[in-house]
Amino acid sequence: FYSLSLQPGEYTLVYSYVGYKKKTVEIDLQKDIKKNIELKPSNQELNTVTVSGEREDRNISSSQMSSMKIQSKTFEKIPALMGEIDVLKTLQLLPGVQSAGEGSTGFSVRGGSRDQNLVLLDEATVFNASHLMGFFSVFNNDAIKEVELYKGDIPARHGGRLSSLVDIRQKDGNMKKFQVDGGLGTISSRLTVQGPIKKEETSFLIAGRRSYADIFLPLAANEDLHDNTLYFYDLNFKLNHILNENNRFYVSQYYGRDVIKIGGMNDDPFSMSWGNITTTLRWNHLFSDKLFSNFTFVRSGYDYKLGIEEANDNITSFMWRSNLGDNTLKADFGYYLNPSNTIRFGANASYKSFEPGKVKGLSDESIFGEVDVPASNALSYSLYASNEQNIGEKITLNYGLRYTLFQNIGKATVYNFDENYNKIDSTVYGNNKIFNSYDGFSPRVSFKYQINNKSSIKSSYSRTLQFIHLASNATVGTPLDIWLPSSPNIEPQKADQVAIGY
């Protein structure tokens, strides 16, 4: 959705998108009008190709800094590890982004740690974005429309992490015709189907990907490998419905999982699995030609389990399970006040549940009893407002403020420690009992002075707050990492970042 407020007169509009032909439209503006444009692909067959690159003028004219938007077509042009196009590995090639470990999808932005990066898929948080212990990410490029990375100057409408935001959007589904894409790789194969349920009104997208190393293990010369299992899979789904010119609905889901099993029934088999599930329900509504809204419900979940299955009354058999959940309601508004001011404001509320681990012996002879690490829950509320303001033709200001309230809520057990961090006792809180609160303001401001059409000077300041934290023994990270909320024993993380650029 876009809105332009202009004086009556004749104007030239240029529409452009990566991979499509530009379209120029002449408009004699004498009254309010609505204009929808379709672009044609710019496919060409050439004998000899000379490639040169030039950054779009958005980098010069926009007040936003420390961000980069990448279309899915760009990912396809980058050499892929074992035939697998990987969104997160591509981001590691950008300035300010460093891999957390060789061959890993984990990354650090401007010195931050892994848990200080917020990864969103259609606005839903992805807590563990890796397959095969970090060698591949959970994002199927065939289902991805675009990725935007904020390395700083994170917009006020986003919060919850210190270092960066990776905003990944799935394709909406083709409204005009059916389309099938796929590929065979050395590690996995993928298939994507999209098309109209009703042309120009309703579309769908279904994408799947699965690895198949486990299919060839029975053919291995080493018989010890025959009963082993090793695979991962992803499923993406999106439904897009245009009710009328003022209302549009989206349903988006992702489900992915890794499964590892080592040993046969007579060898005390060890098994391990982990996976993400996300759901996004979104309603776009136009209150007027100047007021645009998004109302969203988001559900994110991550779980893992590992253990030794019961075989011949194995005394070491056990199962360990862990779960993490996040339910969020959001209301976001964009108000196009005039050509010099674009105002954004909104609010969200979320409920988070943390179950670090439940361990239980599987047989009567098991040496493991039943251990339940205390679970915890949290509520968070946020309000934000920002304005992008043009002052003359050369100066643009973007300023905003975000307020967040974070509360711990029972049922929970909180341990108390002495000055040497020795546990002395614990306090038990009942269901729905709010027993601890943190809050804070997060100002964001950026400035741009455009010298000419080829250069500009920018600066930004942002404060970010983080209320959930990752407990890990590894730099690269494993599926067994534990997320913990801020609590009486763990204060929120805070960061102030200043950037200057030319």
Side-chain angles (χ1 to χ4, degrees):
F1 173 75
Y2 63 95
S3 178
L4 300 173
S5 298
L6 302 169
Q7 296 295 327
E10 296 183 354
Y11 293 93
T12 300
L13 296 183
V14 180
Y15 296 83
S16 65
Y17 191 79
V18 174
Y20 289 80
K21 296 178 181 178
K22 288 184 178 181
K23 190 166 188 176
T24 301
V25 178
E26 304 291 340
I27 292 180
D28 185 6
L29 186 63
Q30 302 300 331
K31 62 179 181 179
D32 290 349
I33 62 172
K34 292 185 178 180
K35 196 75 175 174
N36 293 318
I37 296 295
E38 294 182 5
L39 302 181
K40 295 181 179 180
S42 59
N43 297 328
Q44 297 181 3
E45 293 184 5
L46 304 174
N47 294 323
T48 303
V49 179
T50 301
V51 179
S52 60
E54 182 177 329
R55 285 190 294 188
E56 291 186 2
D57 134 275
R58 175 178 178 269
N59 182 57
I60 304 297
S61 59
S62 171
S63 64
Q64 178 71 52
M65 68 180 303
S66 303
S67 70
M68 181 169 288
K69 182 179 289 188
I70 306 174
Q71 310 295 338
S72 61
K73 289 180 177 293
T74 303
F75 293 112
E76 297 170 1
K77 299 177 182 178
I78 296 175
L81 174 64
M82 304 183 76
E84 295 294 321
I85 298 171
D86 199 300
V87 170
L88 296 187
K89 280 193 171 65
T90 303
L91 296 183
Q92 293 173 4
L93 303 175
L94 300 177
V97 183
Q98 184 177 3
S99 171
E102 192 69 31
S104 167
T105 57
F107 60 97
S108 168
V109 177
R110 291 180 173 173
S113 60
R114 289 183 301 111
D115 67 323
Q116 293 169 353
N117 305 314
L118 177 59
V119 180
L120 299 179
L121 178 62
D122 279 352
E123 301 186 63
T125 302
V126 178
F127 289 99
N128 189 321
S130 65
H131 284 311
L132 293 182
M133 299 293 191
F135 281 100
F136 302 102
S137 76
V138 300
F139 304 111
N140 180 353
N141 190 65
D142 288 349
I144 300 302
K145 177 171 67 175
E146 64 184 22
V147 178
E148 188 156 15
L149 170 66
Y150 296 88
K151 297 178 289 185
D153 192 20
I154 299 173
R157 64 183 179 273
H158 293 292
R161 297 292 195 277
L162 297 192
S163 279
S164 73
L165 165 67
V166 181
D167 190 5
I168 301 174
R169 301 288 174 150
Q170 293 189 114
K171 294 176 180 177
D172 294 327
N174 197 318
M175 280 279 187
K176 293 185 172 297
K177 62 181 181 180
F178 284 95
Q179 181 178 337
V180 179
D181 301 282
L184 298 174
T186 54
I187 297 296
S188 68
S189 293
R190 61 192 187 276
L191 180 67
T192 302
V193 181
Q194 59 179 314
I197 297 175
K198 186 176 182 180
K199 284 189 175 182
E200 307 294 350
E201 288 189 15
T202 308
S203 66
F204 76 93
L205 178 139
I206 300 175
R209 178 175 63 158
R210 190 190 191 278
S211 67
Y212 34 66
D214 56 309
I215 297 177
F216 300 101
L217 289 177
L219 305 177
N222 186 347
E223 294 185 359
D224 293 336
L225 299 177
H226 289 184
D227 294 325
N228 292 348
T229 301
L230 173 64
Y231 67 88
F232 69 80
Y233 63 88
D234 298 306
L235 294 172
N236 298 76
F237 169 78
K238 193 165 187 178
L239 187 68
N240 175 19
H241 176 63
I242 301 175
L243 181 64
N244 51 46
E245 63 181 13
N246 292 329
N247 295 279
R248 190 167 185 164
F249 297 90
Y250 300 85
V251 178
S252 173
Q253 281 195 310
Y254 166 80
Y255 184 75
R257 196 150 201 91
D258 284 69
V259 177
I260 299 174
K261 184 177 178 181
I262 301 174
M265 292 302 296
N266 297 320
D267 299 320
D268 302 336
F270 169 80
S271 64
M272 178 177 174
S273 70
W274 66 92
N276 296 276
I277 182 169
T278 71
T279 301
T280 303
L281 306 176
R282 187 169 65 206
W283 171 30
N284 293 157
H285 178 65
L286 295 181
F287 287 97
S288 70
D289 289 342
K290 293 191 174 186
L291 182 59
F292 174 74
S293 66
N294 270 322
F295 300 97
T296 314
F297 168 75
V298 176
R299 162 69 182 168
S300 300
Y302 175 70
D303 73 279
Y304 66 79
K305 60 181 180 179
L306 77 158
I308 297 177
E309 298 178 11
E310 183 178 355
N312 302 325
D313 295 326
N314 181 7
I315 63 172
T316 61
S317 63
F318 74 96
M319 182 58 65
W320 172 9
R321 301 177 184 271
S322 178
N323 291 278
L324 173 63
D326 186 345
N327 295 279
T328 301
L329 285 171
K330 301 172 59 180
D332 300 292
F333 300 88
Y335 183 55
Y336 298 81
L337 179 62
N338 53 48
S340 297
N341 293 272
T342 300
I343 300 171
R344 301 183 186 278
F345 59 96
N348 67 64
S350 68
Y351 174 80
K352 298 175 173 62
S353 58
F354 304 82
E355 295 182 5
K358 294 183 178 180
V359 184
K360 183 179 181 180
L362 298 181
S363 69
D364 294 336
E365 289 76 20
S366 175
I367 60 175
F368 294 97
E370 185 169 348
V371 180
D372 188 355
V373 180
S376 58
N377 306 295
L379 298 169
S380 68
Y381 308 92
S382 296
L383 297 169
Y384 74 88
S386 66
N387 182 34
E388 183 171 4
Q389 181 177 2
N390 297 319
I391 303 174
E393 296 182 355
K394 294 183 177 294
I395 298 176
T396 302
L397 290 176
N398 198 329
Y399 48 90
L401 184 66
R402 183 181 183 88
Y403 171 77
T404 304
L405 172 64
F406 186 88
Q407 298 177 316
N408 298 105
I409 183 173
K411 185 178 181 181
T413 300
V414 177
Y415 294 109
N416 303 312
F417 301 86
D418 61 20
E419 62 275 7
N420 297 317
Y421 302 104
N422 297 311
K423 185 171 65 176
I424 52 178
D425 60 13
S426 62
T427 305
V428 179
Y429 297 94
N431 286 327
N432 303 319
K433 172 68 175 177
I434 296 175
F435 59 88
N436 182 64
S437 296
Y438 292 106
D439 69 338
F441 289 93
S442 303
R444 318 279 171 88
V445 60
S446 62
F447 166 86
K448 179 216 74 176
Y449 179 78
Q450 187 156 341
I451 300 172
N452 51 46
N453 291 334
K454 294 185 177 181
S455 60
S456 61
I457 297 174
K458 298 183 182 183
S459 64
S460 68
Y461 162 76
S462 63
R463 163 165 285 192
T464 47
L465 303 174
Q466 182 166 332
F467 297 94
I468 66 172
H469 320 276
L470 188 63
S472 174
N473 288 324
T475 303
V476 175
T478 73
L480 309 183
D481 293 337
I482 296 174
W483 289 89
L484 298 170
S486 292
S487 67
N489 294 319
I490 307 175
E491 292 186 353
Q493 301 179 65
K494 299 179 182 179
D496 293 282
Q497 185 178 134
V498 177
I500 299 175
Y502 168 77

